[in-house]
Amino acid sequence: MPTSNEIRKTFLEFFKDRGHTVVESSSLVPIDDPTLLFTNAGMNQFKDVFLGIDKRNYSRASTSQKCVRAGGKHNDLDTVGRTPRHHTFFEMLGNFSFGDYFKQEAIEYAWEFLTEVVGLPKEKLWVTIFQDDDEAYELWQEYTDVKAERIIRLGEKDNFWSMGDTGPCGPCSEIHYDRGEKYSCDNPECGLGVCDCDRWLEVWNLVFMQYNRNEAGEMTPLPRPSIDTGMGLERLSSILQGVESNFDTDLFIPIIKKIEDLTGIEYDAGDAGFPFRVIADHSRACTFLIADGVLPSNDGRGYVLRRILRRAVRFGRLLGMEEAFLYKNVDVVCDLMKKAYPYLEEKKEFVKEVIRLEEERFFLTLNEGLKRVEEILKENRKKGNTVIAGEEAFMLYDTYGFPLDLTQDMAEENSFSVDTEGFNRMMEEQRKRARKANKGDDVFARDRILAEFLSDIAETVFTGYEELNSHSSVLAIIKDNKLVDAADNGRVLLISASTPFYAESGGQLADSGRIKGENGELLVDDVQKLAGRIIHSGLLNGSLSCGENIVLEVNKEKRLATARNHTATHLLHKALRMVLGEHAQQKGSLVEENRLRFDFSHLAALNDKELSEIEHIVNKSIWDMHEVNTSVDTIDKARELGAIALFGEKYGEKVRIVRISDFSMELCGGTHVQNTGQIGLFKIINEGSIGSGLRRIEALSGNYAFEYLQEMETGLKRAASFLRSTTSEVNNRVELMSRNLKDKEKEIENLKATLSKASSADVLANARNINGAAVLIEAIDCEDPNSLRQNAEMIKDRLGSSVVLLASVIGDKVSLVCFVSKDLLGKGLNAGKIVSAAARAAGGGGGGRPDMAQAGARDSSKLEEALQTAREEVEKILR
């Protein structure tokens, strides 16, 4: 019985032997693709290639791609654990052809692998094709020995694939495994395309990408038809390992055994094992998502991760887990998957810590949620309702992570029901908002048009590492979205045979400068790269023509300042890992002329000592004047050398290695100084949180850092002059002044209290006795509401059994406070009602406890009216 690791290896080697380049799985966070929440299919990392925007140095590829389907239109979250096949995280085995082979080879490869390499019985395999795809039908007949009656034609819903509303699309052919009659449903016509029961297991989908669909829905043949296939490793493993469910394979059983150890409960493969399956699946998803840079948050990818994690924790509670436990599964997941994904081992401790902290937070939230459910039930009982509204159920789901079924269970226990229609309506509204916020596939439209324009134009040679001024020729000009032979005056895009201009990438902003021709000059303000071509954008003064010789000049000062900042980010990255630990890895950056911004993973705010140490390490590296050397090598060789790959970057087979002496080594295509001494100075100006587990440092280098320090020094000198002190004594002087100020404030408060008490003593004589209770309702002078309350409480204590209401005009408003001694509460006196009635008489309102309440009013001219209202209210009750 083959292991899942052996199946994965066998698949990739099979296609490698047939001329395919084995490409490493891309991150679960799609790079440069705003249309996707997560990588959810093997073709995602090749999307630009299929669209014609990118080119690779290979035309055949094979991958085992990690995928997540738990958000957006691909959302299997609620079915996970209920069926034997659905997962949030899974691996997709695939082979791809970029204009190389087409249907015949794809069909032959798939049939050979399944029947000859892994030995699936041919009599158990069925094939579906698109209903109009006669070519596929004939190829299955001619190049395999599948029987004709086992080839089923289905409609567009089942066997036609498209990348979006427009763009590449085509028919597909699926291979299904017949698990036998015992898995059939009750439908007497049970069969492929008729039902969706457990008997028919889809194994492999072969997509024949042969058309391009335009906005009108018209389809035209692609000049270079391509192949995209996908087969779930978990499904294939379940067949080859002879088990009933994906959860019974070696990809899940060790995790389930760990859950058994943690809970002391034995796993049941039936319905009772549902919580085990959810936790096992979600343990894998959480581990891989966090390792790939996603952290729990309240929106986007982080929100989906938080939902997955909390769902696992809730099912842990059903198994008796009352404290954090999910993080303990990370060791098992990493042990199972580290052979295919070695990076998991180095990120393991950070992943565990993120999950543990989130679990502990959620246990508190869950308890709060349970209290909120009790409040909702109580409020509805008072109103005579026995239905929890859809809005309330959705609030529990959205705020506290309560799924609908948990709310329904709690409702049922209390003889309530839930408005599921209202809940579903709220869910759909949320989905609509998410779809509206999500950018569609049209974001690629401009790039696709440009790629078509430039398809016959040679790729640009970048010379900017060696020079800032160069000579070249114009290859193409685009103006007003048209490819033109010449252009004059206005905004244009220009492509030259070679260029020293750096195109924006890797967080580094583009160069600026000028391109001069015989009759015109282009002021370059943006540079982008597309499908190997470097596109200069700017304002043209005069005219330029295709074929014309040009001079390209990069702004030297801006380039050097940007290079200082870029090299400084490499030093900062190393310093962060030295001070905080290896988990402090780059999650994003911005490198421009006048500043740098660096995002990294860390779970707590940096203290002053840590920031000072990081800053010192970077500056020492600058003053040590390390040489900065670059080289180009294979990605495998770079990893052997220990070079760090940066988050969110695409790497080809050949990579550029930036080595700063023996201090730092990273893969980077950006521009750098030749010696760290050229940076001059480094200064952190801000550090803060940008999300759960994500921190951001903003810093300056070179003359910008020097100017910042000069500005700070000027401010310090000004402060010293104001305090009549030296700069070195400013801190001590400020501390002394702060202490003196606090003492003076305390002295003023005491004086105010003394004056108020004296004023209060004068009004004590105005107290009236009504049926044995002292009643004092008067206006006094007070500085603030706090003093007014203190005075009223003091008078109440002195009078004993009493009702005291004091009022004062503070600023332009009336403040009122009322005390009722506890022995009078039984007679119906209520401080909240008394003070509220008084405040209303002066255009205000307020309230509080029966024994003490406060209020405010806007109309100070009606102060006496307010007091009289209070007197009448009290007398009415006491008499």
Side-chain angles (χ1 to χ4, degrees):
M1 182 177 73
T3 66
S4 54
N5 279 331
E6 289 167 345
I7 295 167
R8 186 192 297 109
K9 183 181 178 186
T10 300
F11 178 87
L12 295 175
E13 286 182 348
F14 173 84
F15 282 100
K16 185 179 181 182
D17 292 343
R18 284 152 185 78
H20 291 65
T21 298
V22 176
V23 181
E24 188 176 292
S25 171
S26 65
S27 169
L28 286 170
V29 179
I31 299 168
D32 296 331
D33 189 348
T35 69
L36 289 174
L37 196 62
F38 298 111
T39 298
N40 57 37
M43 62 80 62
N44 289 164
Q45 69 166 308
F46 304 116
K47 192 170 181 178
D48 285 357
V49 184
F50 287 126
L51 288 170
I53 296 171
D54 190 17
K55 288 184 179 180
R56 302 287 172 94
N57 58 3
Y58 48 81
S59 59
R60 299 180 173 204
S62 181
T63 65
S64 179
Q65 175 64 51
K66 53 194 177 183
C67 302
V68 162
R69 289 186 180 175
K73 58 184 177 182
H74 294 295
N75 189 358
D76 293 340
L77 187 59
D78 292 332
T79 55
V80 171
R82 298 186 190 279
T83 74
R85 315 290 168 210
H86 284 94
H87 306 291
T88 48
F89 172 86
F90 63 96
E91 289 181 83
M92 189 175 281
L93 305 172
N95 59 289
F96 308 89
S97 162
F98 311 117
D100 188 327
Y101 61 83
F102 198 44
K103 292 183 186 180
Q104 176 190 326
E105 294 88 340
I107 288 169
E108 285 183 301
Y109 289 149
W111 193 253
E112 181 186 359
F113 180 79
L114 290 178
T115 61
E116 296 179 29
V117 178
V118 298
L120 293 188
K122 295 177 182 178
E123 66 274 10
K124 285 186 170 289
L125 296 176
W126 290 65
V127 172
T128 62
I129 60 171
F130 180 55
Q131 58 192 11
D132 299 331
D133 195 355
D134 295 332
E135 181 187 10
Y137 181 83
E138 289 166 8
L139 290 170
W140 275 110
Q141 290 278 283
E142 186 176 352
Y143 291 98
T144 75
D145 48 3
V146 65
K147 292 186 180 344
E149 61 268 23
R150 290 179 182 271
I151 303 175
I152 310 296
R153 293 177 184 263
L154 295 176
E156 186 170 339
K157 177 177 174 289
D158 295 293
N159 279 84
F160 196 91
W161 177 92
S162 58
M163 192 177 290
D165 294 334
T166 61
C169 58
C172 58
S173 181
E174 296 173 342
I175 305 171
H176 298 257
Y177 182 77
D178 181 0
R179 300 178 70 215
E181 287 188 14
K182 73 172 184 175
Y183 296 100
S184 295
C185 59
D186 295 333
N187 189 336
E189 297 179 7
C190 177
L192 273 179
V194 178
C195 61
D196 190 24
C197 67
D198 286 343
R199 175 173 178 173
W200 311 102
L201 178 60
E202 181 195 328
V203 179
W204 204 340
N205 187 12
L206 315 178
V207 176
F208 309 133
M209 211 178 291
Q210 64 185 99
Y211 300 111
N212 184 63
R213 180 155 41 198
N214 64 20
E215 290 80 1
E218 299 165 338
M219 290 190 290
T220 54
L222 288 170
R224 298 176 68 218
S226 298
I227 290 293
D228 158 29
T229 85
M231 173 166 58
L233 173 64
E234 292 78 8
R235 293 191 181 195
L236 184 59
S237 297
S238 73
I239 296 170
L240 296 178
Q241 293 175 11
V243 294
E244 298 279 310
S245 158
N246 293 1
F247 293 97
D248 298 322
T249 66
D250 63 341
L251 288 162
F252 289 93
I253 286 298
I255 309 172
I256 289 173
K257 287 191 180 299
K258 178 67 175 178
I259 300 166
E260 287 181 325
D261 293 341
L262 291 170
T263 61
I265 301 172
E266 190 175 343
Y267 171 63
D268 181 335
D271 291 343
F274 176 48
F276 286 83
R277 295 189 288 274
V278 172
I279 296 168
D281 171 273
H282 291 6
S283 296
R284 299 198 329 151
C286 291
T287 299
F288 273 92
L289 283 170
I290 295 168
D292 278 12
V294 182
L295 293 166
S297 67
N298 289 327
D299 53 27
R301 298 182 180 101
Y303 177 65
V304 176
L305 169 61
R306 177 165 277 167
R307 277 191 64 201
I308 294 171
L309 195 153
R310 291 183 169 188
R311 191 167 187 261
V313 172
R314 283 193 292 98
F315 280 102
R317 280 179 70 103
L318 293 179
L319 298 176
M321 302 305 295
E322 296 293 336
E323 58 184 26
F325 71 93
L326 190 66
Y327 74 98
K328 296 175 183 177
N329 290 342
V330 174
D331 288 321
V332 185
V333 175
C334 292
D335 194 51
L336 281 171
M337 308 298 283
K338 65 185 178 186
K339 193 166 185 180
Y341 305 100
Y343 74 97
L344 287 178
E345 198 64 25
E346 67 181 62
K347 298 191 176 184
K348 181 169 68 176
E349 293 307 316
F350 178 70
V351 172
K352 287 168 69 175
E353 185 65 6
V354 171
I355 292 177
R356 185 186 66 79
L357 289 172
E358 183 67 16
E359 280 188 272
E360 289 173 353
R361 284 193 201 103
F362 181 51
F363 271 114
L364 294 174
T365 304
L366 197 58
N367 290 331
E368 288 298 313
L370 291 169
K371 290 178 190 172
R372 186 70 188 104
V373 174
E374 291 298 333
E375 289 171 8
I376 289 170
L377 292 170
K378 187 177 178 181
E379 288 164 7
N380 278 295
R381 281 194 198 97
K382 280 183 182 176
K383 297 174 184 175
N385 293 339
T386 57
V387 179
I388 294 177
E391 291 82 356
E392 292 172 324
F394 182 78
M395 179 274 294
L396 290 169
Y397 163 83
D398 200 41
T399 305
Y400 299 102
F402 272 47
L404 181 60
D405 55 4
L406 179 60
T407 304
Q408 286 174 315
D409 288 345
M410 294 187 70
E412 191 176 332
E413 288 167 11
N414 289 272
S415 301
F416 271 66
S417 61
V418 178
D419 172 19
T420 54
E421 285 186 15
F423 175 86
N424 292 331
R425 189 169 58 250
M426 296 287 289
M427 278 292 290
E428 183 55 33
E429 286 174 12
Q430 188 189 63
R431 289 190 188 104
K432 283 179 182 175
R433 288 193 297 271
R435 285 195 292 268
K436 192 175 179 181
N438 190 37
K439 298 178 181 177
D441 289 324
D442 286 346
V443 296
F444 293 104
R446 178 177 176 275
D447 286 352
R448 280 170 50 203
I449 292 167
L450 286 176
E452 287 173 20
F453 279 165
L454 307 177
S455 58
D456 297 327
I457 305 296
E459 293 188 9
T460 311
V461 177
F462 177 62
T463 62
Y465 293 134
E466 298 83 25
E467 60 185 7
L468 296 181
N469 294 332
S470 68
H471 291 77
S472 188
S473 59
V474 179
L475 295 184
I477 299 172
I478 297 171
K479 186 176 183 184
D480 298 329
N481 293 322
K482 293 176 184 175
L483 200 60
V484 295
D485 292 328
D488 56 17
N489 297 323
R491 287 204 70 83
V492 300
L493 306 179
L494 182 146
I495 298 91
S496 54
S498 63
T499 181
F501 282 83
Y502 180 83
E504 180 181 347
S505 66
Q508 179 177 331
L509 297 190
D511 282 333
S512 62
R514 60 189 68 216
I515 297 175
K516 298 177 182 177
E518 189 175 338
N519 299 307
E521 180 179 82
L522 179 66
L523 300 176
V524 179
D525 54 31
D526 188 31
V527 188
Q528 299 293 328
K529 192 169 184 178
L530 178 68
R533 287 89 177 181
I534 294 177
I535 303 170
H536 310 83
S537 175
L539 188 64
L540 174 61
N541 295 312
S543 63
L544 286 170
S545 305
C546 288
E548 181 179 348
N549 290 326
I550 50 175
V551 178
L552 301 97
E553 299 176 353
V554 173
N555 182 321
K556 294 178 183 178
E557 289 75 20
K558 180 181 176 182
R559 166 68 80 85
L560 178 57
T562 305
R564 286 190 185 110
N565 281 332
H566 204 150
T567 306
T569 64
H570 286 224
L571 299 178
L572 174 60
H573 195 188
K574 177 65 175 181
L576 285 166
R577 298 198 311 278
M578 289 170 67
V579 175
L580 305 177
E582 287 299 319
H583 68 273
Q585 297 184 356
Q586 179 173 343
K587 297 300 177 188
S589 70
L590 173 69
V591 178
E592 53 186 358
E593 177 185 8
N594 58 354
R595 66 177 182 133
L596 67 91
R597 191 180 73 205
F598 194 86
D599 302 338
F600 60 99
S601 49
H602 189 59
L603 298 172
L606 275 62
N607 58 43
D608 290 341
K609 183 182 176 184
E610 288 169 332
L611 287 170
S612 179
E613 190 176 351
I614 290 163
E615 203 170 65
H616 174 73
I617 290 171
V618 174
N619 278 308
K620 186 177 185 308
S621 301
I622 292 170
W623 302 328
D624 285 345
M625 299 180 68
H626 294 303
E627 289 294 320
V628 180
N629 296 304
T630 60
S631 60
V632 176
D633 217 320
T634 64
I635 185 76
D636 291 336
K637 182 63 176 175
R639 284 180 178 140
E640 278 178 35
L641 293 170
I644 291 175
L646 301 186
F647 175 78
E649 282 290 297
K650 287 182 182 177
Y651 296 107
E653 185 54 34
K654 293 283 187 179
V655 293
R656 186 165 178 263
I657 305 167
V658 177
R659 188 197 297 265
I660 302 174
S661 187
D662 58 355
F663 184 78
S664 165
M665 182 164 49
E666 297 187 7
L667 305 186
C668 180
T671 63
H672 291 270
V673 295
Q674 295 176 325
N675 185 294
T676 57
Q678 290 177 270
I679 300 172
L681 186 63
F682 174 83
K683 179 65 186 169
I684 295 172
I685 58 170
N686 190 42
E687 188 276 336
S689 171
I690 55 169
S692 178
L694 279 179
R695 312 294 301 177
R696 171 173 289 172
I697 280 179
E698 294 176 274
L700 307 172
S701 73
N703 59 308
Y704 290 99
F706 180 67
E707 288 171 4
Y708 174 82
L709 291 176
Q710 276 190 316
E711 204 174 295
M712 293 298 103
E713 185 182 31
T714 301
L716 185 62
K717 285 178 178 176
R718 193 179 297 121
S721 173
F722 180 78
L723 296 170
R724 297 178 183 177
S725 168
T726 62
T727 54
S728 60
E729 285 295 317
V730 165
N731 281 347
N732 292 336
R733 180 60 66 90
V734 169
E735 283 180 18
L736 180 62
M737 287 182 70
S738 178
R739 283 198 300 272
N740 289 339
L741 186 60
K742 284 178 182 176
D743 290 341
K744 296 295 182 188
E745 285 173 350
K746 195 177 289 184
E747 206 175 302
I748 291 169
E749 284 298 316
N750 290 335
L751 284 169
K752 281 162 63 176
T754 302
L755 288 170
S756 292
K757 285 174 185 176
S759 174
S760 300
D762 292 339
V763 299
L764 272 171
N766 296 332
R768 296 172 58 203
N769 187 300
I770 303 176
N771 286 338
V775 177
L776 179 65
I777 299 173
E778 294 291 335
I780 67 169
D781 293 328
C782 258
E783 293 289 328
D784 54 65
N786 188 47
S787 298
L788 185 68
R789 187 187 61 77
Q790 288 176 355
N791 280 289
E793 187 172 20
M794 179 196 73
I795 291 171
K796 186 260 297 181
D797 291 341
R798 290 183 63 177
L799 289 175
S801 179
S802 60
V803 177
V804 177
L805 185 146
L806 295 184
S808 182
V809 177
I810 300 171
D812 59 350
K813 292 180 181 177
V814 177
S815 286
L816 303 101
V817 64
C818 180
F819 280 88
V820 175
S821 59
K822 294 197 184 316
D823 63 304
L824 296 179
L825 296 177
K827 293 187 177 183
L829 289 165
N830 184 302
K833 290 180 180 178
I834 297 166
V835 82
S836 178
R840 281 198 302 272
R849 304 193 309 266
D851 62 327
M852 195 284 282
Q854 291 176 281
R858 294 185 297 274
D859 193 347
S860 58
S861 68
K862 293 187 177 180
L863 174 57
E864 187 51 46
E865 221 175 290
L867 296 174
Q868 186 57 35
T869 300
R871 291 185 188 110
E872 290 172 1
E873 183 80 12
V874 173
E875 284 185 24
K876 183 172 66 177
I877 295 168
L878 286 175
R879 293 190 187 281

